[in-house]
Amino acid sequence: MASRAAATQKSEKFPTPAKIAITLVVNGVARKLEVAPWTTLLDALREHLDLTGTKKGCDHGQCGACTVLLDGRRINSCLTLAVMKDGANVTTIEGLAEGSALHALQRAFIEHDAFQCGYCTPGQICSAAGLLAEGHAKTADEIRELMSGNICRCGAYPNILAAIEQVVAQRGEPPR
């Protein structure tokens, strides 16, 4: 049987690459996994680590449903190859809360009913967390512009904006 597999491999015009061992620090925990070279960070999170809070929307980087924080910066995980992020710190929606205490953005989204179907909510919240860390958004227009990569098909934008504005105000950042 082994000689048959070897013969098949020799006859392959383009042999399938071997899986690659990587380590991702996901929500503060080092996770070792083996992935095919073409595995996106989104698929590594969802399919290999069972972290399904991050959603697969368009798979083209246009909707923002897959937004996570990578080393503190927001990215579209569907456009990022997992093997290129070996050793990186990834924060997903599951990692924003501290124990049973929700993140301020998670609480604000609940208070402002900033979701309807909820599909985009994890990406919206992770993107907003990155936006707050960047410190660029102080006005409603700046928040709208910097959140424009996150699409909500239900149209909860006014409530999403209100939730983010509440957290900006709670942080004591003066409006401009």
Side-chain angles (χ1 to χ4, degrees), residues 53-75:
T54 305
K55 303 302 182 208
K56 183 179 277 202
C58 67
D59 227 11
H60 296 288
Q62 297 175 343
C63 73
C66 67
T67 304
V68 298
L69 300 174
L70 183 81
D71 295 327
R73 298 182 50 95
R74 53 196 172 141
I75 64 156

Side-chain angles (χ1 to χ4, degrees), residues 65-151:
C66 67
T67 304
V68 298
L69 300 174
L70 183 81
D71 295 327
R73 298 182 50 95
R74 53 196 172 141
I75 64 156
N76 291 329
S77 61
C78 74
L79 296 180
T80 305
L81 294 176
V83 296
M84 296 176 70
K85 302 305 173 189
D86 186 21
N89 287 302
V90 180
T91 304
T92 67
I93 190 69
E94 294 93 344
L96 285 179
E98 292 193 25
S100 63
L102 294 178
H103 186 279
L105 282 163
Q106 292 170 315
R107 288 191 311 272
F109 267 63
I110 293 167
E111 290 170 24
H112 288 276
D113 194 23
F115 48 86
Q116 287 181 31
C117 78
Y119 197 82
C120 73
T121 305
Q124 295 276 1
I125 292 173
C126 282
S127 187
L131 173 114
L132 293 173
E134 292 163 12
H136 300 302
K138 306 287 192 267
T139 68
D141 285 341
E142 289 172 338
I143 293 170
R144 280 189 205 96
E145 176 65 26
L146 293 168
M147 290 291 294
S148 65
N150 292 81
I151 306 299

